[in-house]
Every structure is written in C-alpha cells, then in structure tokens.
Amino acid sequence: MAARSQRLGLAALTALVVGSMVGAGIFSLPQNVARSAGPAAVLIGWALSGAGMLMLAFVFQALANRRPDLDTGIYAYAREGFGNYIGFSAAWGYWVASVLGNASFFVLIFSGLGHFMPVFGEGNTAAAVAASSLLLWTVHLLVLRGLRTAALVNSLVTVAKLVPIALFLVLAAGAFRMDIFKADFFGGPALGDLGTQLRGMMLVTVWVFIGIEGASIYSRRAARRADVGRATVMGFTGVWLLLVLVSVLSMGVLSQTELAGLPNPSMAYVLRAIVGEWGATVIIIGSIISVLGALLAWVLLCAEVLYAAAGDGTMPAFLGRENSRGVPANALWLSNGLIQLFLLLVLFNAGSYTSLVLLAASMSLVPYFLSAAFGVQLAWRGVAYAGQPVVRWRDFGVALLASVYALWLVYAGGLDNLLLSVLLYVPGVALFALTRRQHGQPVFTRWEWLLFGAILAVAIVTLVAFWRGTLAL
C-alpha cells in the first residue's frame, strides 16, 4: 500500500493521462496525418477514432468503478477475465510497448535538436544515442527520488508544454485558408481510395491516443478511486480536441503534399510557414519540453506496470521491491535497461521514430482489446451490476464497440507490425515461468501450452522473414 504522502489526486492523475498522451505524437501530427490521408479522410478518421477511444475511456472508467479490487492497472483485467498467461502477456506487451515508446521519445528529442546541432541528425546518430543514454539515466535518478517528486515535475511540464501548442493553434487559426483546405479534399491518387486513407489515418491515431489508460495504471495510488475514471475521461476529451485542431488547421495552411514532405517535428515547419524561423524554434523547443514530460510519465508507467504485476504474482517477486522512497527500483532498472538496449538497436539498425511508434502502437492493441473484452464479459455476467439493468446493458454495448474498434486497429496496423509484436511477446515467457515456479505452480495449463505453441510458431516464421530481409523494423 502506498504511503499517504505518495497518493495522487485528480489533478495529478489527469496530468499523467495528458502527459502520457501529449508527447511526441502531437508535434509530428501534421506530417504523419497528411502522409496517409486527405482532409475528408482526416475529418472522418478523427470522428471514428475519437468515438472508438472514447468507448475505451468509458470502459476504463466503468471497470475502475465496478471492479475496484483490480487496482493494478490495465493488465489486471486480462488476467481476471482470461487466465494467468493471458494476463501476464497483457502486462508484458504493455510494458514492452511503453519501453518502445520511451525509445522513440529519445529519437524525437534529438531529432529536434538536430535542427540546431546537425551532429544529432535524425536522432539515430552515435552522438544522439550517447546523449540519449545520458538523459535516460538522468531521468532514472530523478524517478528514484520518489514518485511524488516525479509526478509533480510531470504536472509542471504538462502545463509548460501546452503553451507552444496553444500558440500554434491561435496563429494557425488566423492563417487558415479554406481554399487550401478544400483543394484535393478527398486526397490525390497517390493516397488511394477513402478506405485506404482511413486505414492509414487511424493507425496514426493509435499512437497519439496511447496513454489514455495512464490513470488506471496508478489506480492503487489514487487518493480517491472515483478520480481514476474522471481523470481518464477528462484527459482524453481535452487531448482529442487538441489533436483534431492541430491536424485540421495545418491542412488549411499548407497543402496535403507540402505537409507530407515536412521533416519532424512537422508542427514547427507549419508555424515557420506562417511567421518565419522563430516559429519553428519555439515549437521545436516546446516539443522537446513536451517529449521530456511524456518521457517522464512513461518511465513511471514502465516501472509501475512491472511493480504492480509483481505485487499480485503475475511477475517475479524481485520486481515488486521498493526503495526507501517507495519507488519500485528493480522494475525501474529493468525498464530503463531495455530502453537502453532499444537505443543501441536504433543506432545499429538506423531505426526511425515512425517505425518505433508504429510497433509500440501495435504492441499496445492487445492489452486494449483484452480490457474491452473483459468489460463485455463483466457486463454480460452482471455480477457487479445488481439492480442496475440499464447501466449494465449500456456498459455492455460500450465495451462491445470498444472491442470491435480495438480489433479493427489490429487490422489497420498491418501484418508486419503484428508479426514483430508476436516476436516480442515470446521472450516474456522466461519471466512467466520464473513466476509460476516461485509459486510452486505448473507453467502452463493445457490450452495455454497450445496458445504459446502457436505464438512460438509465428515468432519463428517472423525471425526467418527478418533474417531474409523481407521484414524489418
């Protein structure tokens, strides 16, 4: 149980949601969206993705209220509904996705600094990786000082990073031209038909919405349980509005083709087209501050996922140990060690920001789907809805829609990302086996052996494709 001084209120929980969602993605949004879709698909895509993610937000809110005993975050729902191995896989997949997200933040930070110091290039040069490593372990030391300290810093950074975004929105609204926005409204031939554009557009939205479950991860540390659901919905609503405005207003400043060709963070270069070089400078500095804030939030999330999972026997016990300040130090060391490994892989494989975030998004989809599916299961059984039939069937419908949406996103993510995701799920079995042995239990049930065998077979096929060069990060 967290000490009272380490408890988080509604403002801190909401800041964690906003801080997790408003990071790298929003500053690269104009180029990322325009690369896949024209204005018509963008408007439809934001409506669909907003509705789908709102369903997920409502699912997290309902689960927080109906099953307050499941206070260890997103993976606990998968474990409760579908067994130990599925629950572990949800925790493992979410953790790896968070680690990948953190690695992408470092790439984007030093890609932005490359605007001023070419030695950092696109964030994947030797100098960039060395500087990223130094920054990583500086953040590590900050978090070791205590969760409350880190959460306070995150709250302050969340406010600071919204200032350049607000400046962009005001200036972009003033420079918006309807004739530019309406030109090639349905996208040029190179983008494909409306369905193809929507698929590409929706995949981008997966990444910018990841972090919606940030308050759920910290539910055990909330001062009031009801604040978890409120923070989730409040944080999502505000961020969704920001994302829509940034992408739509940009399409009224530069054409789709011009936006698609911008370097990242592309918001900076949209503002440069409006006010000149100082605009790009302001946004790049703002993006670095923003990504630093998101980086801190996600470092916290990485450690908390492992710590919470260790607390209820899903992960090995050593990951549940805290230091004198109440920080899950072992979980933090393992998380940041894997981030460091991914940074080295970026250097040796010339990995890009986009490839990292799309893989992270794909890894997150399985835990999202399992949470929504548990919401369906919970409402169908009705155990937590005694005397509330209307609320029960409302929650059932919402969870069913969220499940369908999550499955559609798996399809939108593409086969390559799905295969790479499966490959990254396999190493986790070592920790799962260790955990089961610690509790004197067999590693797998019969059907779990079958599931693991299928995952292993797909992973082997993926490795062969990777070795032959037909699949790459």
Side-chain angles (χ1 to χ4, degrees), residues 39 42-43 168-183 185 244-255 259 270-271 273-275:
V42 168
L43 291 174
F168 173 84
L169 292 177
V170 170
L171 295 175
F176 183 87
R177 288 174 51 187
M178 185 57 71
D179 60 317
I180 295 177
F181 183 74
K182 291 170 67 176
F185 186 69
V244 173
L245 288 174
V246 166
S247 57
V248 171
L249 289 176
S250 297
M251 288 188 149
V253 176
L254 297 174
S255 68
L259 288 172
V270 175
L271 192 57
I274 299 172
V275 299

Side-chain angles (χ1 to χ4, degrees), residues 1-7 220-221 307 322:
M1 180 69 68
R4 193 71 193 172
S5 63
Q6 295 289 325
R7 293 289 189 173
R220 66 162 51 190
R221 299 183 186 274
Y307 169 78
E322 297 180 317

Side-chain angles (χ1 to χ4, degrees), residues 39-346:
V42 168
L43 291 174
I44 297 171
W46 278 123
L48 292 176
S49 61
M53 279 294 176
L54 183 60
M55 295 302 102
L56 273 172
F58 284 146
V59 166
F60 287 126
Q61 184 180 40
L63 293 177
N65 293 332
R66 299 292 165 181
R67 292 298 305 269
D69 56 307
L70 301 177
D71 62 356
T72 50
I74 186 172
Y75 86 92
Y77 305 133
R79 183 186 184 192
E80 179 70 12
F82 308 104
N84 290 316
Y85 182 53
I86 296 294
F88 171 85
S89 296
W92 173 265
Y94 187 79
W95 176 66
V96 173
S98 301
V99 167
L100 283 165
N102 274 321
S104 75
F105 291 154
F106 286 107
V107 173
L108 192 67
I109 287 170
F110 289 95
S111 177
L113 288 174
H115 179 80
F116 309 106
M117 293 171 280
V119 67
F120 292 135
E122 294 297 320
N124 54 8
T125 65
V129 171
S132 294
S133 301
L134 178 61
L135 177 58
L136 168 65
W137 296 108
T138 301
V139 172
H140 178 87
L141 294 176
L142 172 63
V143 176
L144 283 177
R145 292 181 58 84
L147 286 173
R148 189 172 180 83
T149 300
L152 175 61
V153 172
N154 176 71
S155 298
L156 295 174
V157 172
T158 297
V159 173
K161 69 188 177 184
L162 292 177
V163 174
I165 297 175
L167 174 66
F168 173 84
L169 292 177
V170 170
L171 295 175
F176 183 87
R177 288 174 51 187
M178 185 57 71
D179 60 317
I180 295 177
F181 183 74
K182 291 170 67 176
D184 291 326
F185 186 69
F186 293 99
L191 295 177
D193 60 21
L194 188 60
T196 301
Q197 293 180 51
L198 279 174
R199 179 181 168 186
M201 159 69 185
M202 298 284 275
L203 184 57
V204 172
T205 67
V206 176
W207 173 244
V208 295
F209 279 134
I210 286 177
I212 191 175
E213 71 294 330
S216 297
I217 300 297
Y218 288 93
S219 56
R220 66 162 51 190
R221 299 183 186 274
R224 292 179 298 177
R225 181 69 182 182
D227 287 344
V228 175
R230 294 193 189 104
T232 299
V233 176
M234 288 169 57
F236 164 78
T237 304
V239 171
W240 177 79
L241 183 59
L242 284 178
L243 295 170
V244 173
L245 288 174
V246 166
S247 57
V248 171
L249 289 176
S250 297
M251 288 188 149
V253 176
L254 297 174
S255 68
Q256 179 269 324
T257 303
E258 290 173 320
L259 288 172
L262 292 178
N264 283 314
S266 52
M267 185 192 291
Y269 301 97
V270 175
L271 192 57
R272 183 172 68 178
I274 299 172
V275 299
E277 188 61 36
W278 72 265
T281 301
V282 168
I283 296 298
I284 288 173
I285 293 173
S287 71
I288 292 171
I289 294 173
S290 177
V291 176
L292 285 171
L295 175 65
L296 178 57
W298 277 59
V299 166
L300 290 167
L301 285 173
C302 286
E304 190 72 13
V305 168
L306 293 180
Y307 169 78
D312 66 3
T314 300
M315 289 282 184
F318 78 92
L319 295 173
R321 295 172 190 151
E322 297 180 317
N323 65 12
S324 61
R325 295 178 179 268
V327 177
N330 289 344
L332 188 66
W333 279 103
L334 182 59
S335 298
N336 289 342
L338 187 57
I339 293 171
Q340 180 69 76
L341 177 60
F342 277 127
L343 287 175
L344 293 175
L345 290 175
V346 164

